[in-house]
Amino acid sequence: MTTRTKIAGAVLGAVVAGALALVPLTDDGPAADGGGDGGGSLAAGPAEKEAVPSFTATDWVSYGDQVAVVRVTAEHELREPDEGADTDGAGTDGGTGEDYLARTVDLQVKERVWARSGAPALPSSVSFTADGWQVKDGARKELGSPDSSRLEVGHEYVVTLARFSGGVWSPLGSGGVLPYDHGRVGEGEFEGRTVTSEAYRSAWEARAVPGEEPPVASRTAGKPSSAVREVLRGARPDATAARYPGLDPVARYRKAAGGASEPAETFCSVAAPLAVSEDGRYTPEELAAVLTDLAAALAGRDAAPLRAYAASLTAGDGTAAAVDDTAREASVARIERECGTDVGELLPTDM
């Protein structure tokens, strides 16, 4: 079994359980610069597809069951019983000295912040799979998800939790975990390092997409858990999701997305040829057709910028000045955020 296969398998397990998605092995450091400790050993890269959207208040009230302040009390290595072991105790990848070591974390619930009407009762403690470690040539490097906390021992977080199929409790997704040391959202561990709430807010503001609902993270940075509660009380769940309160979050999301089981994967597959590395060439009409397909792949989830940019390409006079730049920039940000794909300026090549 290759390292990449092992990681893909771990990601699939995390998605099924609702746990945080793992990321490919790279040497990139964390994106947020909080001037705090650590961070140098964290491997981060483009986020893998998650089963349920988890960044906005609409996501939280549509698919989450409980929101709580939690403290990570312990972490444990999660070894594959059929794998061999090297001198560090981790299985190796065909003798190359490289492997993935999974991790589970134990969380103590300190405060219940919000609950969906009719939601199952939240236990006083929960455990689930989280980002683990890369082990290469005897050295261990932490793996983390971009735009998310890694969940490290001794730190506190505001987490939106859901009970998935099989009765497994886990965070809704990577956007449903907010650092919460010292009673302030954004204070504590983020992307594997300690940040201030000011740095956390700045990191999210830099990721803002015009026309889209801002994430809970940016709306509550620097504030206490009561601010999260007020944001959620003012949010309205997706109408379709609200009609299926008895389904687990993944099944509820599939209903809301029109039955599409893997919308993010479809979206990124359509977007792949737009990558600057593909050296593709598109007329305005051809690019508009791809953008229209991307909007359809989102199944109604904030596709307006993509449609607006496509419309400006087909209605313009064939020059760059005629396109809707606001919609174009929002489309670029959406594709890069969803897929980690560099699409450059996303202009037709004959302009």
Side-chain angles (χ1 to χ4, degrees):
M1 180 185 292
T2 66
T3 300
R4 184 170 296 278
T5 301
K6 289 180 182 177
I7 294 173
V11 171
L12 177 61
V15 167
V16 170
L20 304 184
L22 301 178
V23 302
L25 302 180
T26 75
D27 290 325
D28 298 332
D33 180 9
D37 59 1
S41 63
L42 183 71
E48 294 285 349
K49 174 178 64 65
E50 293 184 317
V52 183
S54 61
F55 287 89
T56 69
T58 300
D59 297 336
W60 287 30
V61 300
S62 297
Y63 310 111
D65 290 320
Q66 300 270 358
V67 175
V69 174
V70 302
R71 182 177 181 85
V72 182
T73 57
E75 64 182 6
H76 313 278
E77 297 176 358
L78 184 61
R79 301 181 184 278
E80 297 182 40
D82 60 340
E83 293 294 328
D86 59 17
T87 56
D88 285 323
T92 59
D93 179 23
T96 64
E98 183 173 310
D99 199 6
Y100 172 73
L101 181 59
R103 179 177 70 119
T104 61
V105 291
D106 299 339
L107 273 59
Q108 176 190 5
V109 175
K110 298 190 64 178
E111 175 192 350
R112 288 168 171 79
V113 177
W114 174 89
R116 176 176 62 87
S117 178
L122 179 66
S124 60
S125 62
V126 294
S127 301
F128 50 82
T129 303
D131 295 346
W133 299 273
Q134 171 193 2
V135 181
K136 185 175 182 180
D137 298 328
R140 180 182 294 190
K141 177 180 286 189
E142 296 172 346
L143 288 175
S145 302
D147 299 343
S148 179
S149 294
R150 189 173 181 271
L151 289 164
E152 296 188 340
V153 175
H155 288 280
E156 295 187 3
Y157 305 85
V158 173
V159 181
T160 177
L161 292 152
R163 191 171 69 178
F164 289 78
S165 60
V168 176
W169 281 96
S170 185
L172 192 61
S174 58
V177 180
L178 314 181
Y180 195 66
D181 289 353
H182 316 301
R184 298 177 66 190
V185 172
E187 198 86 13
E189 184 270 316
F190 179 61
E191 295 186 325
R193 68 191 304 172
T194 301
V195 299
T196 64
S197 58
E198 291 78 12
Y200 185 73
R201 180 188 294 108
S202 296
W204 282 107
E205 288 176 348
R207 295 163 170 80
V209 178
E212 292 196 4
E213 180 182 353
V216 176
S218 63
R219 296 178 66 180
T220 60
K223 300 177 181 179
S225 60
S226 57
V228 177
R229 181 184 300 113
E230 290 307 307
V231 166
L232 298 180
R233 285 177 175 174
R236 304 185 70 173
D238 176 271
T240 302
R243 292 201 296 269
Y244 299 94
L247 296 179
D248 84 291
V250 176
R252 207 180 314 149
Y253 174 60
R254 289 176 178 173
K255 290 287 187 181
S261 60
E262 295 182 340
E265 183 175 56
T266 301
F267 179 88
C268 294
S269 297
V270 175
L274 298 176
V276 293
S277 60
E278 296 296 322
D279 196 27
R281 302 186 65 83
Y282 296 91
T283 67
E285 292 75 16
E286 289 169 341
L287 180 56
V290 176
L291 292 167
T292 300
D293 289 343
L294 284 171
L298 285 174
R301 295 181 296 125
D302 302 318
L306 291 161
R307 292 196 178 95
Y309 182 33
S312 74
L313 287 168
T314 55
D317 59 4
T319 67
V323 304
D324 184 336
D325 272 330
T326 299
R328 178 181 62 80
E329 291 171 0
S331 298
V332 170
R334 182 58 181 268
I335 294 169
E336 293 184 346
R337 188 187 71 182
E338 290 268 348
C339 310
T341 301
D342 181 6
V343 295
E345 295 184 349
L346 200 60
L347 285 168
T349 51
D350 62 352
M351 280 189 173

